[in-house]
Amino acid sequence: MIALDKHTSLLFFLLCVWKFNAIESSPPVVLWHGMGDSCCFSFSLGAIKKLIEATLPNIYVYSIRLGNNVIEDVEHSYFGNINQQISQVCEQLSKDKHLKDGYNAIGFSQGAQFMRAVIQRCPNPPVMNFISMGGQHQGVFGLPNCGALGNNTCSYMSRMIKYGAYLKLVQEKLIQATYWHDPYQEKEYKENSIFMADINNELHINQTYKDNLQKLHSMVLVKFTNDTIVWPRESEWFGFYTPGQGTKIQTLEESDLYRTDRLGLKILHKLGKLYFLSSPGNHLQFTESWFVNNIIKVYLM
Ligand SMILES: *[C@@H]1O[C@H](CO)[C@@H](O)[C@H](O)[C@H]1NC(C)=O
Ligand SMILES: *[C@@H]1O[C@H](CO)[C@@H](O)[C@H](O)[C@H]1NC(C)=O
Ligand SMILES: *[C@@H]1O[C@H](CO)[C@@H](O)[C@H](O)[C@H]1NC(C)=O
């Protein structure tokens, strides 16, 4: 009788622990902000962090910051060497013991392609679900708005990119040049882009990149249907201008990247791990309820 009681209470105890763990077990989340933004502004990623925490109590949310404070973080979103920044982020994430069993990653705008580079280059700790909010996975051809930069700096930057995007000096100092994709100069792009052409396996195939992407549970690409900031907005779904001109768009499936499967996206797609979502409105102009219902409750729980 007593033995049975012990058994029952042990079972009950285990059940409680299991239930408790089930409630507590949303994996941690890592965020990477976009151009002109920072880890922690209350009107941008600070609010996203709060929203995730409010929806999934006790979750650990880490928002990537480069530099010693938010001002430096904003500067680093325009200036510096992106490959060095990605290495720094890999180091930050590998040292964070909350993340050691894996995490879900959300990148915002350019932060989405940088987050993808982290996934491809630094598989430890592992990423489960990757959510790209308006990321430019085939780069951009146009910078209609430079975020927080004033007009003078913005026009200086646009000129520098237009005339010198593929110069080594510009590639190593100006973040936006590294995902500048000129469809009239595909060859120059593939040979000189130190970032986008590299992570898209354009010049040669890095098998490690393919293998690491295959480890994802899902890759979720969110496109903003009325996006006027990203040119072309199809880049948010890996689409881009058909090489050699600047009006006609080809989708991911029509692209060489997909047909030759240089990056393993076709396999990911066939396995049902690649999701194409759209959100109404302009760049990153999603509502809280859209984010809760389409992202948090589907991919972060
Ligand atoms: C492939 O990517 C890995 C991870 O970033 C890197 O260590 C390696 O040097 C790359 N290989 C080639 C051939 O570029
Ligand atoms: C930038 O230029 C536009 C149009 O030329 C002008 O309306 C706006 O006030 C300028 N903004 C700043 C910050 O100078
Ligand atoms: C999208 O843009 C069009 C044209 O500018 C506008 O009429 C429409 O209201 C916009 N829709 C949304 C959801 O922002």
Side-chain angles (χ1 to χ4, degrees):
M1 217 31 204
I2 289 165
L4 188 72
D5 270 354
K6 264 190 183 158
H7 239 101
T8 320
S9 55
L10 182 67
L11 203 72
F12 182 70
F13 174 74
L14 285 176
L15 208 68
C16 286
V17 169
W18 175 76
K19 264 222 83 135
F20 184 73
N21 275 332
I23 292 166
E24 298 290 298
S25 70
S26 289
V29 173
V30 172
L31 313 174
W32 196 334
H33 64 80
M35 174 177 82
D37 202 358
S38 85
C39 60
C40 311
F41 289 143
S42 60
F43 52 83
S44 62
L45 289 214
I48 298 285
K49 182 171 189 283
K50 278 205 178 127
L51 182 61
I52 297 172
E53 287 165 348
T55 315
L56 304 173
N58 300 313
I59 194 168
Y60 176 72
V61 182
Y62 178 77
S63 189
I64 292 167
R65 187 189 78 197
L66 284 158
N68 297 313
N69 51 54
V70 290
I71 304 297
E72 286 186 19
D73 195 23
V74 173
E75 284 171 10
H76 287 304
S77 78
Y78 295 107
F79 306 110
N81 180 318
I82 190 58
N83 291 326
Q84 285 169 9
Q85 291 187 4
I86 287 160
S87 300
Q88 285 166 23
V89 167
C90 287
E91 200 182 327
Q92 283 180 20
L93 301 181
S94 69
K95 281 183 180 159
D96 188 330
K97 58 183 188 311
H98 293 101
L99 306 177
K100 69 176 177 9
D101 296 326
Y103 62 94
N104 291 318
I106 313 179
F108 296 82
S109 198
Q110 70 178 15
Q113 56 262 33
F114 303 157
M115 201 71 234
R116 177 159 65 86
V118 169
I119 296 165
Q120 293 177 203
R121 293 177 184 169
C122 315
N124 296 307
V127 175
M128 300 159 191
N129 299 313
F130 166 50
I131 293 111
S132 162
M133 300 292 295
Q136 300 104 48
H137 296 283
Q138 280 283 14
V140 297
F141 186 49
L143 267 187
N145 171 319
C146 305
L149 288 184
N151 279 354
N152 288 340
T153 321
C154 182
S155 81
Y156 170 73
M157 205 167 92
S158 303
R159 262 180 299 146
M160 208 149 85
I161 288 185
K162 210 164 159 205
Y163 297 112
Y166 298 132
L167 298 176
K168 191 161 183 282
L169 185 82
V170 177
Q171 287 282 319
E172 288 176 351
K173 294 220 153 45
L174 191 58
I175 303 297
Q176 285 69 36
T178 69
Y179 58 87
W180 184 258
H181 185 168
D182 183 340
Y184 295 96
Q185 301 191 68
E186 282 290 334
K187 186 167 171 285
E188 287 75 6
Y189 159 69
K190 288 179 184 176
E191 286 171 357
N192 299 301
S193 160
I194 63 166
F195 172 70
M196 189 56 81
D198 175 72
I199 61 160
N200 284 356
N201 275 351
E202 292 287 3
L203 207 52
H204 51 79
I205 293 180
N206 187 326
Q207 188 61 38
T208 308
Y209 288 175
K210 290 181 82 169
D211 294 345
N212 288 340
L213 275 186
Q214 293 307 315
K215 295 174 188 162
L216 287 172
H217 299 185
S218 53
M219 183 192 284
V220 183
L221 304 172
V222 178
K223 181 173 86 173
F224 293 90
T225 50
N226 256 28
D227 202 322
T228 58
I229 307 292
V230 171
W231 291 2
R233 66 174 72 110
E234 287 79 3
S235 186
E236 297 174 9
W237 280 0
F238 271 98
F240 206 68
Y241 296 113
T242 306
Q245 49 85 61
T247 45
K248 202 168 157 275
I249 300 281
Q250 63 182 14
T251 62
L252 171 63
E253 279 115 307
E254 291 160 350
S255 70
D256 187 55
L257 181 74
Y258 188 89
R259 285 186 288 113
T260 58
D261 212 19
R262 302 177 69 81
L263 202 52
L265 293 172
K266 192 175 179 175
I267 312 173
L268 221 52
H269 197 194
K270 300 280 179 234
L271 291 173
K273 293 173 157 193
L274 185 57
Y275 297 88
F276 299 93
L277 266 58
S278 15
S279 177
N282 209 330
H283 196 54
L284 300 183
Q285 301 299 305
F286 53 89
T287 62
E288 283 196 359
S289 70
W290 187 91
F291 194 72
V292 170
N293 293 323
N294 293 280
I295 303 297
I296 301 184
K297 289 188 174 169
V298 185
Y299 300 104
L300 306 186
M301 285 175 78

